Amino acid sequence: MQSCEISSDSTDDPLSSALHGHRQPRIVVIGAGLAGLAATKTLLENGFTNVTVLEASDRIGGRVQSIQHGKTTLELGATWIHGANGNPVYHLAEDNGLLEHTTEEERSVGRISLYAKNGVAHYQTNNGKRIPKDLVEEFSDLYNEVYELTQEFFQNGKPVGAESQNSVGIFTRDVVRKKIMLDPYDSESIRKLKLSMLQQYLKVESCESSSPNMDEVSLSEFGEWTEIPGAHHVIPTGFIKVVEILAQDIPSCVLHLSKPVRRVHWNCSSQDAEEFGDQVDHNQDQRPSPSPVCVECEDGERLLADHVILTASLGVLKKAHKTLFSPGLPQDKAQAIQKLGISTTDKIFLEFAEPFWSPECNSIQFVWEDEAQLESQAYPEELWYRKICSFDVLYPPERYGHMLSGWICGEEALRMERCDDETVAEICTELLRQFTGNQNIPKPRRILRSSWGSNPYIRGSYSFTRVGSSGRDVEKLAEPLPYIKNTKAPPLQVLFAGEATHRKYYSTTHGALLSGQREANRLMELYQYSCAETTKPNI
C-alpha cells in the first residue's frame, strides 16, 4: 500500500501531545460513502495522520450516485436533504452555494409524495379513470389521521395491541378500513376506491421506508425516527457535490478505490500479528508495538491497524458478517444485524420527447381497483410491476426536460433489476397507457434506473426498524468492539458507522454523516484521555 505524508503546519496538533512520544495510531476506514468520508475528514482535521480509506467500488459516494444527463443531473441514490434546521448536510450545501438554484418546486414539505410541487397528483385507476381530486383529498386526510396514530406508540408509550402484530401495515390497514366502512355517506363504489387508494398509499410508504411492505415495519418503534424541521431540498448540481466537499481535503493517497475487504481480523494476539507480518514503525526512540487489527483485502494485501471504522451497509453486514469478521461478532451484535431491516427502493427514470401529462400534473399514482381487499403486497414474480406505486414529474422542465421518475421497492424491485432496459421500458409504457387511458403514449426515448439491491457492495437502499427489532438494536450495531467490559483488550478496535447505526436518523444522509463524525470523535476522546493520563497538567 502506497503511503504518503500528511503535513501539518501546526506544531501543537492535538495528537502530538496526546500521544506523548508514541507513534500515530493507524486507522483504516472501510467505505467512502458519507459516513466514511465524514469520519476521515474529522480525523484528518484533528491531527490524525495515519489514516487509510478502502472503498470496494470504483467511485466515492456509496448510496449517493448522481448521473449527468445532458445538462442536468439525475439522482440514482440520495435525492433530498431532509430538513434544514440543524441538518449538517443542509449546512454543507448552503455554505458552499449548492442550493442557490434550487427552485420552489424542489423544496418539498409534503410527506406522502415522493416528489412534491405546486401541482396536483393524478390518482389513476387500472381502468384508465382519474379519481376525483376531492375524493383523493378526503382519503388523504383520513390516511394522515391514522399515520399520526402510528407515531404515538413510541412517542407516547402507548401499548401495542396483539391484533396489530406490532406492524405498521397491519395496524394502518385495519384502522383505515374500519373508518371507511363506518362512513354512512359513501356508496359501495366509493368505499372500494378508498380501499384501493389505501393499498397505493402503503406502497408509497414502503418506498419511503425502504421496506418490502409496511407489514414488516415495527409499529412500536415507528415514531422514534426523528424528522428535522424545515423543507426537503434537492441539490440541482447533484447530491454528489456534498460528497466531493467532504472529500476535497482528503489526500488522494489516503483514498484507495476498487479495494474490497475480505476480512477484518480483530483482537489479534502478538502471535497473530507475527503471522500477519506486522510491519511496525521503526522511528527513533519508538518501540515496535503489535497491531490489534489486520484488514485483509480481496487482492491479498493486509493492512495493520489500531482502529478500523467500518461503514458497510446493513445489507452487506447481513450477507457477509459471518465471514467478514475473525473472530466472529458477539452474538448480540449478530442478532441486531439479523433483526433490523433493510430493503431495496429503486427509481426508474423515463425521458420523453414531449409530455403526455397536463401542465398541472405533478405525478401519476397507480391505483389498482382489484386490490381493494389485498392482504399482502407480495406479488408473483411475473407481476413484479404491480409494486410500482407512481411516476413523478421532475420539475422544472427547463432543467430536466420531460422526465418521469417511477418508484418500486421490495423483492419486486430486485426482479425489476434482473430485467433488461427494453423490457422495463415496455412494461412501464403499457402501465402508463393503461392507467391514463391514453393508448398513444410513446415509448420513452431513454430509460435509466437504479439497482441498489443487486449491487454487491450495497445490497439495499437504507434501513428500517423491522417487527421484532428496536432502537436498542441500532445502538448495539453501533457499539464498538471489543465491548467496554473487556478491559484487557486494546479499546475501539472496530467501530461501526453508517445510516443504520444512527438511532434517530437512520435511513438518511445526515444520519450517515453524523455517524461517521461520532466514531471519529470516539477516537479523539480516546487519545485526549491518553493525554490526560500521561502528561502533567499546567498549574
Side-chain angles (χ1 to χ4, degrees):
M1 179 69 68
Q2 180 185 3
S3 64
C4 67
E5 196 80 24
I6 303 173
S7 63
S8 173
D9 296 331
S10 172
T11 56
D12 59 349
D13 83 57
L15 289 185
S16 61
S17 59
L19 294 170
H20 196 58
H22 297 283
R23 62 168 172 78
Q24 275 272 339
R26 293 164 290 191
I27 303 169
V28 174
V29 178
I30 300 176
L34 287 170
L37 294 174
T40 304
K41 176 180 169 67
T42 303
L43 290 169
L44 295 178
E45 286 177 346
N46 286 277
F48 291 83
T49 61
N50 197 339
V51 183
T52 302
V53 182
L54 305 178
E55 167 55 48
S57 72
D58 59 1
R59 63 176 186 85
I60 62 173
R63 283 167 273 179
V64 176
Q65 189 175 10
S66 305
I67 301 296
Q68 201 62 31
H69 176 73
K71 295 180 179 179
T72 191
T73 305
L74 299 177
E75 305 288 7
L76 290 182
T79 303
W80 292 273
I81 300 172
H82 290 290
N85 301 347
N87 185 334
V89 178
Y90 171 83
H91 293 298
L92 263 180
E94 178 70 12
D95 293 347
N96 287 275
L98 301 184
L99 303 179
E100 289 176 2
H101 301 291
T102 305
T103 67
E104 285 302 317
E105 289 83 1
E106 290 168 315
R107 293 187 182 93
S108 163
V109 292
R111 190 196 63 78
I112 196 63
S113 178
L114 291 162
Y115 277 94
K117 67 169 288 290
N118 296 326
V120 180
H122 286 208
Y123 283 77
Q124 304 281 155
T125 74
N126 56 301
N127 295 316
K129 305 294 184 185
R130 182 182 170 189
I131 300 174
K133 184 171 176 283
D134 58 348
L135 180 57
V136 172
E137 290 174 349
E138 185 182 325
F139 173 77
S140 183
D141 289 342
L142 168 61
Y143 182 90
N144 288 330
E145 178 185 320
V146 177
Y147 176 85
E148 293 302 320
L149 296 178
T150 65
Q151 305 295 290
E152 293 182 3
F153 292 94
F154 179 86
Q155 293 172 356
N156 298 337
K158 288 177 59 176
V160 175
E163 67 280 359
S164 73
Q165 298 177 44
N166 197 23
S167 159
V168 172
I170 293 172
F171 173 83
T172 302
R173 207 159 41 237
D174 182 53
V175 175
V176 172
R177 279 176 174 172
K178 284 177 180 175
K179 288 179 176 289
I180 289 171
M181 300 312 291
L182 288 172
D183 191 327
Y185 301 106
D186 284 348
S187 65
E188 194 60 36
S189 61
I190 294 297
R191 287 195 183 108
K192 182 182 176 183
L193 272 180
K194 287 183 177 180
L195 291 171
S196 301
M197 275 192 282
L198 168 61
Q199 302 292 355
Q200 195 276 340
Y201 269 56
L202 288 172
K203 289 177 189 177
V204 172
E205 200 80 71
S206 298
C207 284
E208 292 196 338
S209 295
S210 195
S211 58
N213 54 72
M214 294 308 291
D215 291 7
E216 294 198 23
V217 180
S218 172
L219 179 61
S220 60
E221 305 299 313
F222 196 47
E224 183 168 23
W225 187 89
T226 304
E227 186 169 359
I228 291 179
H232 310 301
H233 291 74
V234 172
I235 301 174
T237 52
F239 216 111
I240 197 67
K241 295 298 182 184
V242 171
V243 173
E244 291 169 357
I245 289 166
L246 287 174
Q248 65 187 5
D249 293 324
I250 298 175
S252 58
C253 54
V254 168
L255 186 58
H256 301 269
L257 301 179
S258 301
K259 197 77 172 174
V261 169
R262 176 183 294 137
R263 191 166 290 111
V264 176
H265 303 268
W266 61 286
N267 251 359
C268 297
S269 64
S270 299
Q271 185 177 349
D272 292 330
E274 220 172 282
E275 289 177 12
F276 293 136
D278 196 351
Q279 300 169 358
V280 298
D281 295 327
H282 295 290
N283 295 337
Q284 189 177 359
D285 299 328
Q286 288 191 6
R287 295 177 59 192
S289 56
S291 300
V293 190
C294 174
V295 179
E296 181 185 351
C297 299
E298 289 285 0
D299 62 8
E301 185 171 9
R302 289 173 169 176
L303 286 78
L304 301 162
D306 300 291
H307 312 284
V308 168
I309 300 177
L310 182 87
T311 70
S313 73
L314 178 62
V316 168
L317 290 175
K318 281 180 176 289
K319 176 74 174 178
H321 79 80
K322 290 180 181 177
T323 57
L324 186 58
F325 298 95
S326 177
L329 294 177
Q331 185 178 5
D332 54 357
K333 188 179 282 284
Q335 285 175 342
I337 290 169
Q338 185 268 325
K339 288 196 291 184
L340 291 167
I342 186 170
S343 185
T344 300
T345 294
D346 277 326
K347 300 177 191 175
I348 308 169
F349 292 101
L350 303 178
E351 182 187 31
F352 295 88
E354 298 292 335
F356 60 81
W357 52 90
S358 56
E360 92 290 346
C361 174
N362 71 12
S363 64
I364 300 166
Q365 310 284 333
F366 293 161
V367 179
W368 294 86
E369 290 193 62
D370 58 353
E371 293 186 0
Q373 299 301 327
L374 194 68
E375 292 299 331
S376 171
Q377 291 186 344
Y379 297 94
E381 189 164 346
E382 67 277 10
L383 297 180
W384 63 263
Y385 55 83
R386 281 200 171 222
K387 200 64 167 288
I388 299 176
C389 60
S390 64
F391 276 93
D392 296 304
V393 179
L394 298 196
Y395 281 84
E398 295 78 24
R399 177 179 297 146
Y400 295 104
H402 308 300
M403 185 86 66
L404 298 179
S405 174
W407 297 85
I408 185 171
C409 64
E411 286 298 315
E412 293 78 11
L414 293 176
R415 291 170 193 151
M416 182 276 294
E417 291 180 14
R418 292 195 288 267
C419 297
D420 58 38
D421 281 354
E422 182 69 18
T423 300
V424 176
E426 284 183 3
I427 287 174
C428 289
T429 304
E430 284 305 313
L431 283 173
L432 290 166
R433 288 170 181 168
Q434 178 180 355
F435 279 83
T436 62
N438 178 1
Q439 297 304 312
N440 297 319
I441 294 175
K443 280 182 63 176
R445 63 183 184 184
R446 188 182 178 197
I447 179 172
L448 181 69
R449 56 204 171 107
S450 60
S451 54
W452 296 112
S454 53
N455 183 326
Y457 304 132
I458 304 292
R459 297 189 180 277
S461 296
Y462 41 86
S463 63
F464 67 97
T465 44
R466 192 162 63 181
V467 173
S469 70
S470 72
R472 290 185 297 277
D473 294 307
V474 177
E475 292 193 340
K476 181 54 65 176
L477 177 59
E479 191 173 346
L481 296 175
Y483 293 158
I484 292 173
K485 58 190 176 188
N486 187 354
T487 54
K488 294 180 181 178
L492 303 183
Q493 294 178 34
V494 185
L495 304 95
F496 295 82
E499 54 82 16
T501 71
H502 199 293
R503 183 162 180 167
K504 291 201 306 180
Y505 298 144
Y506 59 86
S507 82
T508 66
T509 54
H510 53 275
L513 187 149
L514 288 167
S515 74
Q517 293 176 339
R518 177 193 68 211
E519 299 312 305
N521 286 332
R522 285 193 210 267
L523 293 176
M524 289 159 56
E525 290 170 9
L526 173 69
Y527 287 98
Q528 285 170 359
Y529 180 69
S530 170
C531 171
E533 283 190 325
T534 58
T535 61
K536 293 180 180 179
N538 292 322
I539 299 176

